[in-house]
């Protein structure tokens, strides 16, 4: 877990002889490396489940005997109509289950702001600029394609999102051993990406506001905050209150997932003296498996089931709206993140880690083109009045993400040998003390332990040499 004095994973501590120079993608400190490994391990498992759910949805929706049942189940309504919650299964997945996902995202964002990489403005500048450019460029690409093609600009936000879980699932499948600094940079990008996606949903996809319901949601959030500050504990208090807040937020016209984000941001994510975990960290550990293992895969199951017939695929590359999404994810994301990173590094005088090269940044930027969960959600919101186009936009998200994944795989495989060497160096622990050797180079005790190990090995080899020599003399003696 992150400590309250974590430094940025993307910028190393300046060398004492060069106080003005910073290392971009420099080696992480040991606590940072362990935190990143734990966080990404959980995301990767969730991403694999997400990938499986997506495949199931596509098979279900594209198998003729089963296709009708997919639509029937997705459109089945359930819930109390009296309080405005008679929703379809797909609607429950998008507005209900994704609120859990955004609750976890809110906790992650709060932790990064108060105890992580985004706390230090100088350290956060480079990944924040990269993430902003990585959202602006896809939107511009989409807008350009649709202005030239006379399409709808309503979907400009669809290609702006990155799905970190899906991206890590792709990395796990292809077996690429990315160095921890590159993985940390990708994770920080995703956190900032989530922040701006939340803002986009709240600002641009809010329908007519029901002020009494919104006022009730605000009062509920205030009560939620008050109980947290008073130290009140018990899931039986917070879960019912959270459901009430969510229901009021849904009926207010503001997208219901904003309630999840707001509650996540209210949790305390810094540790007090004597605490092994902050309340935010503890709750995140409890809720993340529900989010990654249930909420997001179910959302994918009922949102990713689109037609992938030859006609539907051809439509993706001929309609300006769908083509804009594909090019936004594949080209816009890569160019935006890489260009923003290069410009930020140039003007902040941050030196690239000598073990890596700019093609490595390009490869990570291409990985960020894998947009899924939030892109599908925004697609549903942007084209809610045109069901046919909404499904075509979803198909474009799937195809664009697939192309981005293939491009990323190619770029990463070209450097795979280098990555494996760096990863092995990061993990080598010859003295078996639980700390990688690379972090003990300036520790005299480490070198004394290694000297003892090598002395013992040398003594063993001398004994073997003497034994072998003795055997040779006996073998050469008289019969």
């Amino acid at each position: 877990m992150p400590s309250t004095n974590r430094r940025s994973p993307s910028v190393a501590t300046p060398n004492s002889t060069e106080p003005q120079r910073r290392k971009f993608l420099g080696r992480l400190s040991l606590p940072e490396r362990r935190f990143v490994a734990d966080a990404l391990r959980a995301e990767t498992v969730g991403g694999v489940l997400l990938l499986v759910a997506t495949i199931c949805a596509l098979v279900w929706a594209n198998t003729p005997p089963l296709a009708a049942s997919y639509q029937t189940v997705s459109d089945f309504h359930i819930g109390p109509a009296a309080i405005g919650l008679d929703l379809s299964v797909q609607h429950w997945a998008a507005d209900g289950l994704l609120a859990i996902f955004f609750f976890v995202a809110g906790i992650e964002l709060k932790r990064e702001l108060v105890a992580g990489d985004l706390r230090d403005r100088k350290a956060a500048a480079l990944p924040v600029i990269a993430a902003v450019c990585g959202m602006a460029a896809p939107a511009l690409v989409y807008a350009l394609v649709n202005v030239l093609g006379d399409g709808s600009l309503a979907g400009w936000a669809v290609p702006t999102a990155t799905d970190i879980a899906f991206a890590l699932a792709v990395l796990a499948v292809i077996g690429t051993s990315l160095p921890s600094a590159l993985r940390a940079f990708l994770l920080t990008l995703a956190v900032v990406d989530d922040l701006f996606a939340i803002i986009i949903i709240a600002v641009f996809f809010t329908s007519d506001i029901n002020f009494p319901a919104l006022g009730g949601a605000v009062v509920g959030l205030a009560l939620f905050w008050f109980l947290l500050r008073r130290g009140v504990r018990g899931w039986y208090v917070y879960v019912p209150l959270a459901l009430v807040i969510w229901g009021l937020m849904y009926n207010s016209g503001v997208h219901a997932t904003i309630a999840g984000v707001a509650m996540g941001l209210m949790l305390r994510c810094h540790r007090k003296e004597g605490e092994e975990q902050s309340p935010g960290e503890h709750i995140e550990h409890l809720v993340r498996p529900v989010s990654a293992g249930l909420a997001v895969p179910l959302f994918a199951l009922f949102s990713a089931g689109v037609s992938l017939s030859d006609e539907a695929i051809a439509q993706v590359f001929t309609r300006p709206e769908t083509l804009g999404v594909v090019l936004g994810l594949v080209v816009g994301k890569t160019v935006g993140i890489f260009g923003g990173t290069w410009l930020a590094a140039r003007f902040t005088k941050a030196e690239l880690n000598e073990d890596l090269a700019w093609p490595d940044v390009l490869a990570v930027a291409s990985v960020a083109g894998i947009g899924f969960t939030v892109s599908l959600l925004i697609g549903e919101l942007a084209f809610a009045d045109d069901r046919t186009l909404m499904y075509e936009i979803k198909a474009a998200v799937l195809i664009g993400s697939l192309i981005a994944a293939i491009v990323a795989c190619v770029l990463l495989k070209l450097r795979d040998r280098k990555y494996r060497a760096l990863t092995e160096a990061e993990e080598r622990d010859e003295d078996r003390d639980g700390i990688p050797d690379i972090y003990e180079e300036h520790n005299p005790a480490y070198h004394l332990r290694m000297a003892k190990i090598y002395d013992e090995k040398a003594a063993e080899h001398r004994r073997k040499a003497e034994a072998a020599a003795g055997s040779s003399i006996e073998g050469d003696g008289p019969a």
Side-chain angles (χ1 to χ4, degrees):
M1 297 305 302
S3 63
T4 55
N5 62 348
R6 289 177 59 221
R7 295 193 302 273
S8 168
S10 53
V11 181
T13 305
N15 187 289
S16 59
T17 60
E18 294 180 299
Q20 301 301 319
R21 312 299 286 180
R22 300 195 304 277
K23 290 289 186 183
F24 167 52
L25 296 179
R27 185 194 308 160
L28 303 184
S29 69
L30 187 58
E32 289 165 356
R33 185 177 181 277
R34 287 173 172 167
F35 162 70
V36 169
D38 290 342
L40 295 184
R41 190 179 299 113
E43 293 282 5
T44 301
V45 172
V48 172
L49 293 175
L50 179 59
L51 188 59
V52 171
T54 302
I55 294 172
C56 291
L58 292 172
V59 171
W60 189 1
N62 287 275
T63 302
L66 302 176
S69 65
Y70 179 83
Q71 202 59 52
T72 300
V73 173
S74 297
D75 292 340
F76 182 76
H77 277 63
I78 187 172
I83 56 176
L85 294 177
D86 181 21
L87 310 178
S88 68
V89 171
Q90 181 181 353
H91 208 165
W92 276 111
D95 280 353
L97 292 177
L98 276 196
I100 302 174
F101 166 80
F102 278 100
F103 174 69
V104 174
I107 298 175
E108 290 177 338
L109 178 59
K110 178 67 173 290
R111 184 185 60 217
E112 292 294 322
L113 289 170
V114 302
D117 310 324
L118 302 181
R119 181 184 61 169
D120 182 348
R121 287 184 298 175
K122 290 183 179 180
L126 200 148
V128 168
I129 291 172
V132 170
C133 293
M135 298 189 79
L140 290 174
V141 169
Y142 178 93
L144 179 62
V145 171
N146 281 271
V147 167
L148 296 177
D150 195 26
S152 170
L153 294 176
W156 64 270
V158 175
T160 60
T162 294
D163 194 309
I164 184 64
F166 219 135
L168 292 171
V170 170
L171 293 178
V173 169
I174 65 173
T176 298
S177 300
L178 272 186
S180 56
L182 285 174
R183 289 180 178 268
F185 183 60
L186 182 60
L187 182 61
T188 305
L189 281 175
V191 171
V192 179
D193 196 287
D194 284 343
L195 167 62
F196 285 100
I198 291 163
I199 294 173
I200 287 171
I201 291 171
V203 174
F204 295 99
F205 296 102
T206 295
S207 56
D208 296 334
I209 296 180
N210 180 333
F211 285 101
L214 181 60
V218 171
V219 171
L221 288 171
L223 178 59
F224 189 89
W225 179 86
F226 176 77
L227 293 174
L228 288 173
R229 292 301 175 272
R230 297 292 295 179
V232 176
R233 298 187 177 186
W235 65 267
Y236 47 83
V237 174
Y238 291 101
V239 171
L241 179 59
L243 292 174
V244 171
I245 294 170
W246 176 86
L248 288 169
M249 189 70 75
Y250 174 82
N251 282 286
S252 73
V254 177
H255 199 269
T257 55
I258 302 302
V261 176
M263 287 184 279
L265 288 171
M266 289 181 181
L267 294 175
R268 177 169 63 81
C269 291
H270 64 274
R271 300 179 189 178
K272 292 183 178 179
E273 186 175 353
E275 285 185 336
E276 293 185 2
Q277 288 183 322
S278 67
E281 291 171 336
H282 175 66
I283 293 174
E284 181 187 7
H285 276 207
L286 294 176
V287 178
R288 182 183 287 279
V290 178
S291 172
L294 180 67
V296 176
L298 281 178
F299 167 76
L301 182 63
F302 292 109
S303 290
V306 297
S307 174
L308 292 181
S309 63
D310 293 343
E311 181 181 352
I313 294 174
Q315 196 82 327
V316 167
F317 294 98
T318 54
R319 290 198 64 153
E321 295 89 351
T322 50
L323 182 60
V325 169
V326 172
L327 292 178
L329 289 171
V330 177
V331 178
K333 270 289 184 183
T334 303
V335 172
I337 292 175
F338 180 81
T341 303
W342 186 83
L343 288 172
R346 180 178 177 83
F347 288 105
T348 59
K349 298 181 179 180
E351 293 180 348
L352 184 65
N353 177 9
E354 59 273 8
D355 291 329
L356 298 170
W358 283 107
D360 300 315
V361 181
L362 182 66
V364 171
S366 66
V367 172
I370 303 173
F372 190 77
T373 305
V374 179
S375 289
L376 290 176
L377 175 61
I378 294 177
E380 291 181 0
L381 298 175
F383 297 101
D385 297 332
D386 189 338
R387 197 177 183 92
T388 300
L389 183 53
M390 180 182 72
Y391 284 123
E392 292 174 353
I393 288 292
K394 288 184 177 183
V397 170
L398 294 174
I399 292 172
S401 297
L402 176 61
I403 295 173
I406 293 172
V407 172
C409 288
V410 172
L411 294 176
L412 292 169
K413 281 298 184 182
L414 292 174
R415 297 276 291 171
D416 192 52
R417 182 177 298 179
K418 178 68 173 180
Y419 296 154
R420 289 185 183 280
L422 290 174
T423 302
E424 288 173 4
E426 287 182 356
E427 296 176 351
R428 187 178 297 116
D429 183 18
E430 292 187 1
D431 62 342
R432 299 181 181 180
D433 66 343
I435 300 175
D437 297 338
I438 201 169
Y439 292 98
E440 298 190 285
E441 293 173 343
H442 302 292
N443 182 1
Y446 160 74
H447 292 288
L448 291 174
R449 287 196 300 271
M450 291 304 301
K452 182 179 179 181
I453 290 171
Y454 285 128
D455 286 343
E456 291 174 352
K457 287 183 177 180
E460 181 181 353
H461 283 292
R462 280 193 292 270
R463 286 194 300 270
K464 289 181 178 180
E466 292 170 357
S471 299
S472 175
I473 292 172
E474 291 177 4
D476 292 339

